[in-house]
Amino acid sequence: NAGVTQTPKFQVLKTGQSMTLQCAQDMNHNSMYWYRQDPGMGLRLIYYSASEGTTDKGEVPNGYNVSRLNKREFSLRLESAAPSQTSVYFCASSEDPRHEQFFGPGTRLTVL
Amino acid sequence: QQQVKQSPQSLIVQKGGISIINCAYENTAFDYFPWYQQFPGKGPALLIAIRPDVSEKKEGRFTISFNKSAKQFSLHIMDSQPGDSATYFCAATLGSGGSQGNLIFGKGTKLSVKP
């Protein structure tokens, strides 16, 4: 079992460019999450999907969109990247919101 | 309110010492309190968790102490080792599911254990 996988590992974008971060889990989990991690700010929830077919905003959703493609996959899209979106992005999954969340290895994104 | 406040931001402990990280929460409806450990370049991983029906939970060298009346909980690492050097996050959540079931994370504590 690979657990939670994320691609790419690193990405550099110019302001205004778009990109999609991919996330997949092989644990048959219902819930999936996207977080961003910035120094001194902890982990902040961007969007989550409590179950297949549903998505909802978290604490910092502005500038992002998500797609729960199927039970395994949950993607995060930046339509027009801004320097403020420079961060490390983590995808996570859990059986349900009250159970342990399993995190992927992260994507380090730099927006110039 | 939904905040979880964590202190200290950073902590330096000698090998063999006790590391203590504290968290305080505001929402009395929170009923699940996990701690996550994150090594550099890796994603966070669950270390230990507690529910408010007990005041303490111990797993090896790691102990959570929970004070419901004070709305505080803390992580104690006994006999701290250099391999414990990592960033630790406390978190809290409600049991009702929906958006209130999502984890609220503290801002993290960077622990360095000196040999």
Side-chain angles (χ1 to χ4, degrees), chain B residues 66-87:
Chain B
F66 184 79
N67 186 329
K68 190 173 182 178
S69 60
K71 294 188 286 184
Q72 295 176 346
F73 59 109
S74 59
L75 176 69
H76 292 65
I77 305 174
M78 311 300 288
D79 187 25
S80 298
Q81 299 296 313
D84 297 330
S85 297
T87 300

Side-chain angles (χ1 to χ4, degrees), chain A residues 69-109:
Chain A
L69 304 170
N70 48 55
K71 193 171 186 179
R72 288 188 65 247
E73 298 173 288
F74 189 38
S75 62
L76 178 72
R77 183 160 179 83
L78 287 71
E79 289 291 351
S80 178
S84 61
Q85 294 178 305
T86 294
S87 188
V88 181
Y89 291 85
F90 288 100
C91 178
S93 72
S94 66
E95 186 177 320
D96 64 54
R98 293 191 71 225
H99 284 80
E100 175 182 0
Q101 290 190 19
F102 293 82
F103 284 78
T107 294
R108 186 173 294 274
L109 175 67

Side-chain angles (χ1 to χ4, degrees), chain A residues 37 40 48 90 97-98 101, chain B residues 36 38 51 89 95 99 102 107:
Chain A
Q37 184 175 29
Y48 68 98
F90 288 100
R98 293 191 71 225
Q101 290 190 19
Chain B
Y36 281 77
Q38 184 181 29
R51 299 193 189 274
F89 294 95
S99 62
N102 293 322
K107 294 188 176 181

